[in-house]
Each structure stands twice: as C-alpha cells, then as structure tokens.
C-alpha cells in the first residue's frame, strides 16, 4: 500500500539541493520523479528515496534535517494557514494532528501531554520504506521551524527524541537544533513545556479560517480504498503502547469490529494481515536504524516476550532476528 506525499513537500528543493552540491534535476530523475513535482501527489517511496539519494550524493548525513530546517512549514500549504488562524498553539497542533494525512498519508502526527510536558510525535507509517532516518529528521526540522514561527522566542524545547542512532557527530545536531537529541528513543518527538500550548497566536480572519477549514475537510475524506493504509497508520502509532486489537481500532473508527473486518476483506486484506505486515516492516526498520535490544523491540511491537517475536520474525524472513542483524552487518550481506 504505497503512500503519497503532496508535491508541495518539495518546495525549495531545487535551490537547497544546489546549495549542497547536488544537481536537483539529476536527483529527481534518479528518483523517477517529475522535473516539476510541486503540482501533484508524489509516491512516498520515491520521496524517501530522493532525500536518501541526496544525502549520499552530498556526503551529508544531515541533509534531511538541514532541508527541513531550511524549508520550514511552507510545504503544508492550506493546513499551515488554518493553523495560523487558531486561537493558541494547542489548537494549532490539534489541527495539525487531525489533518496531517492530507499532506502525507504515509506518516502520523500526534500530540500528547505527560507530567507537565507536551510531546509532538511523528512516525512514518508506510511499511514499504526500509530506512526512514532522513525523512524523519526532515520532518523534525520542519516541526522545529514551525514551532519557532508560531511561538517566536518562547520556543525553548526540553528535548528532541529520535528512534534511530546518530548519523553524524552529535555536536553537529546541537549546532543545528540548539539541543542534543536523545537517540535510540522509543518515539520521535519534540518535547516542550506543556504551558506553551496556551500561548495565543494573535488575531484571526474568521471568514478566511472557515474557507480554509472547508478546503481541508474536503481533502480529508477517507475512501474505502484508503482504509487499509489508514488502519496500518493507526497500528504503527499504537503498537508501542502494547498489543493492539481489532476491537480497539474499530472503536477508534466508531464502527463495529465485524464491519471493519468486512471493509478490509472487501479490499483484499484483513486486520491480522495488516498487523503482521506492520510489525514486519517496523522490525526491519528498527534493526536497520536503531541499536535498541531485541527484547525492547519485541515490546515495542506488542509481543509478550522475545521468543514470540523471534518466531514471527523467522516466519517472515526465514531466519532469526539475530541472524538477520549479523548478515546486515557483514560486508557482503546487505539486506534487500
């Protein structure tokens, strides 16, 4: 189930790529993207490949992060205007979490409050992407720019949490972000003082806000064909909190479990199949990008213990996760 990204996600790409020594026309052609990608929808797989390709060509492991910080939230289009028209930061971020799938249906954004802190969390939900380090850091760069735009000097993050390990010298991250990320974390998230959510964003144009909201609502309607990928997005976002059931997802969608299963079967899949695929893709991504233990990984995928995860992994890949990891790390053992 290939995800899509709005073409506006590449606003300013050509200028930025050139500034990093990468020919943008060459890069777009290599990723099989149109020379002018802005007007349409892009394949999430090709978008991710483009950023990875540019990072390698520029010999810059922080290419994605730099691009996100440079581009900022302009690529969000009408969603950005709607956010700026809300009463305070909390309302703006609530709008972002509700409608982010309009911008990209291969990622999930949510807002949580924990012990006086607010967490703006981001996760790539497209299971076809094997490694998402560049894309995640790009998104966190965009989020940092957005929060600074909305709050000004009041934006003082407590932490940046990233699931993967550092791709470059940690000092380079601090120089760009003003904070040293916490790598190998259970989530990707900006963490900041919860009180900032009440920060007012200034006067709004009520009529303009209404028009923008209507436009987003029209874009946000989920079709039956899109339901399987949306369920996978929910699964990926909830797995870290423990086992996810058909009943829980159905309740979130406000339909019965039987109805949800029937809708999924009509699209040639089922809940257990989607759960299995989501776990498999997430396991491979963690083994590639993170250095957390296999026991931790089993817990993040909702398995009761390591042995249950190992059996499932062997069923998917014909080998244990330990063997898969060793083969990945060997000079001639790159996984496909």
């Amino acid at each position: 189930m290939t995800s899509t990204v709005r073409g506006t996600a590449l606003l300013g790409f050509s200028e930025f790529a050139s500034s990093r020594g990468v020919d943008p026309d060459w890069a777009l052609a290599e990723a099989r993207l149109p020379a002018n990608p802005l007007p349409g929808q892009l394949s999430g797989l090709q978008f991710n490949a483009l950023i990875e390709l540019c990072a390698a060509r520029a010999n810059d492991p922080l290419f994605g992060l730099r691009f996100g910080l440079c581009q900022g939230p302009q690529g969000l289009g009408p969603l950005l205007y709607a956010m700026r028209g809300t009463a305070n930061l909390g309302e703006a971020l609530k709008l972002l979490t509700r409608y982010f799938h309009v911008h990209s249906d291969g990622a999930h954004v949510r807002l949580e409050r924990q012990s006086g802190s607010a967490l703006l969390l981001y996760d790539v939900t497209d299971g076809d992407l094997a490694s998402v380090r560049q894309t995640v850091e790009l998104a966190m760069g965009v989020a940092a720019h957005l929060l600074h735009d909305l709050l000004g000097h009041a934006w003082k993050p407590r932490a940046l949490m990233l699931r993967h390990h550092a791709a470059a010298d940690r000092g380079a991250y601090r120089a760009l972000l003003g904070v040293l990320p916490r790598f190998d974390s259970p989530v990707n998230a900006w963490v900041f003082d919860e009180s900032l959510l009440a920060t007012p964003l200034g006067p709004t144009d009520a009529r303009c806000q209404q028009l923008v909201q209507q436009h987003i609502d029209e874009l946000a309607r989920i079709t039956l064909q899109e339901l399987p990928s949306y369920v996978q997005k929910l699964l990926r976002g909830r797995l870290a909190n423990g086992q996810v059931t058909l009943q829980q997802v159905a309740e979130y969608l406000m339909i019965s479990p039987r109805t949800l299963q029937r809708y999924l079967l009509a699209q040639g899949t089922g809940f257990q199949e989607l759960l299995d695929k989501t776990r498999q893709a997430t396991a491979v991504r963690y083994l590639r990008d993170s250095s957390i233990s296999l026991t931790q990984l089993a817990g993040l995928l909702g398995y009761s213990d390591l042995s249950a995860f190992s059996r499932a992994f062997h069923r998917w890949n014909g080998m244990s996760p330990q063997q898969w990891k060793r083969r990945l790390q060997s000079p001639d053992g790159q996984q496909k």
Side-chain angles (χ1 to χ4, degrees), residues 2-24:
T2 303
S3 64
T4 58
V5 181
R6 292 181 68 81
T8 51
L10 287 177
L11 273 172
F13 168 75
S14 293
E15 296 82 356
F16 179 79
S18 296
S19 74
R20 306 304 298 177
V22 178
D23 181 347

Side-chain angles (χ1 to χ4, degrees), residues 206-270:
R207 177 55 182 163
C208 179
Q209 173 73 5
Q210 181 183 14
L211 291 173
V212 172
Q213 187 77 46
Q214 288 174 352
H215 177 57
I216 296 174
D217 279 330
E218 290 173 3
L219 293 174
R221 295 192 182 96
I222 301 172
T223 67
L224 186 59
Q225 290 74 26
E226 295 168 328
L227 181 62
S229 61
Y230 188 73
V231 169
Q232 279 194 296
K233 180 186 297 186
L234 294 177
L235 289 171
R236 195 176 296 277
R238 291 163 174 249
L239 273 176
N241 297 321
Q243 190 173 10
V244 186
T245 66
L246 173 65
Q247 177 75 33
Q248 291 169 337
V249 174
E251 286 178 359
Y252 181 84
L253 296 172
M254 293 183 290
I255 57 178
S256 72
R258 180 175 296 179
T259 298
L260 173 57
Q261 190 71 299
R262 187 173 70 249
Y263 285 163
L264 292 174
L265 289 173
Q267 298 305 310
T269 186

Side-chain angles (χ1 to χ4, degrees), residues 244-310:
V244 186
T245 66
L246 173 65
Q247 177 75 33
Q248 291 169 337
V249 174
E251 286 178 359
Y252 181 84
L253 296 172
M254 293 183 290
I255 57 178
S256 72
R258 180 175 296 179
T259 298
L260 173 57
Q261 190 71 299
R262 187 173 70 249
Y263 285 163
L264 292 174
L265 289 173
Q267 298 305 310
T269 186
F271 179 81
Q272 189 58 45
E273 181 180 351
L274 293 176
L275 178 59
D276 217 36
K277 287 181 177 178
T278 303
R279 282 171 158 169
Q280 181 179 4
T282 304
V284 168
R285 184 175 300 157
Y286 265 103
L287 289 174
R288 284 183 182 274
D289 289 348
S290 175
S291 55
I292 66 172
S293 71
L294 292 178
T295 300
Q296 288 176 297
L297 179 54
L300 286 171
L301 295 176
Y303 288 100
S304 56
D305 53 42
L306 177 56
S307 61
F309 165 57
S310 295

Side-chain angles (χ1 to χ4, degrees), residues 6-224:
R6 292 181 68 81
T8 51
L10 287 177
L11 273 172
F13 168 75
S14 293
E15 296 82 356
F16 179 79
S18 296
S19 74
R20 306 304 298 177
V22 178
D23 181 347
D25 296 329
W26 169 85
L28 289 167
E30 282 292 304
R32 299 184 179 180
L33 288 169
N36 179 16
L38 299 183
Q41 293 284 109
L42 313 176
S43 154
L45 194 63
Q46 291 170 304
F47 177 83
N48 189 75
L50 175 68
I51 306 304
E52 296 275 354
L53 182 69
C54 289
R57 186 67 170 226
N59 193 26
D60 180 8
L62 299 184
F63 182 93
L65 178 60
R66 294 184 204 275
F67 181 37
L69 290 169
C70 177
Q71 181 193 60
Q74 301 304 316
L76 295 175
L79 180 53
L80 175 61
Y81 294 112
M83 291 173 64
R84 285 176 171 164
T86 56
N88 56 48
L89 179 67
E91 291 301 312
L93 295 182
K94 194 178 296 183
L95 201 65
L96 176 67
T97 62
R98 181 178 178 185
Y99 290 111
F100 186 77
H101 69 277
V102 173
H103 173 71
S104 169
D105 60 15
H108 182 59
V109 177
R110 67 186 191 276
L111 181 67
E112 293 184 1
R113 302 170 188 244
Q114 297 180 9
S115 306
S117 290
L119 281 73
L120 183 63
L121 300 107
Y122 175 85
D123 191 22
V124 176
T125 56
D126 186 340
D128 292 334
L129 307 182
S131 180
V132 294
R133 176 196 303 277
Q134 292 292 330
T135 305
V136 166
E137 292 193 357
L138 189 160
M140 303 315 276
V142 168
H145 195 144
L146 169 67
L147 290 163
H148 185 271
D149 280 359
L150 294 176
L151 293 175
H153 294 301
W155 169 239
K156 291 182 174 60
R158 289 181 173 175
L160 170 61
M161 303 173 71
L162 293 172
R163 282 179 166 170
H164 51 261
H165 53 262
D169 178 81
R170 294 173 184 240
Y173 283 93
R174 186 189 293 276
L176 286 172
L177 299 168
V179 63
L180 182 63
R182 300 175 186 171
F183 296 100
D184 290 317
S185 295
V187 295
N188 302 309
W190 277 109
V191 184
F192 53 96
D193 192 313
E194 184 181 7
S195 65
L196 290 176
L197 295 175
T199 304
L201 300 183
T204 64
D205 183 328
R207 177 55 182 163
C208 179
Q209 173 73 5
Q210 181 183 14
L211 291 173
V212 172
Q213 187 77 46
Q214 288 174 352
H215 177 57
I216 296 174
D217 279 330
E218 290 173 3
L219 293 174
R221 295 192 182 96
I222 301 172
T223 67
L224 186 59

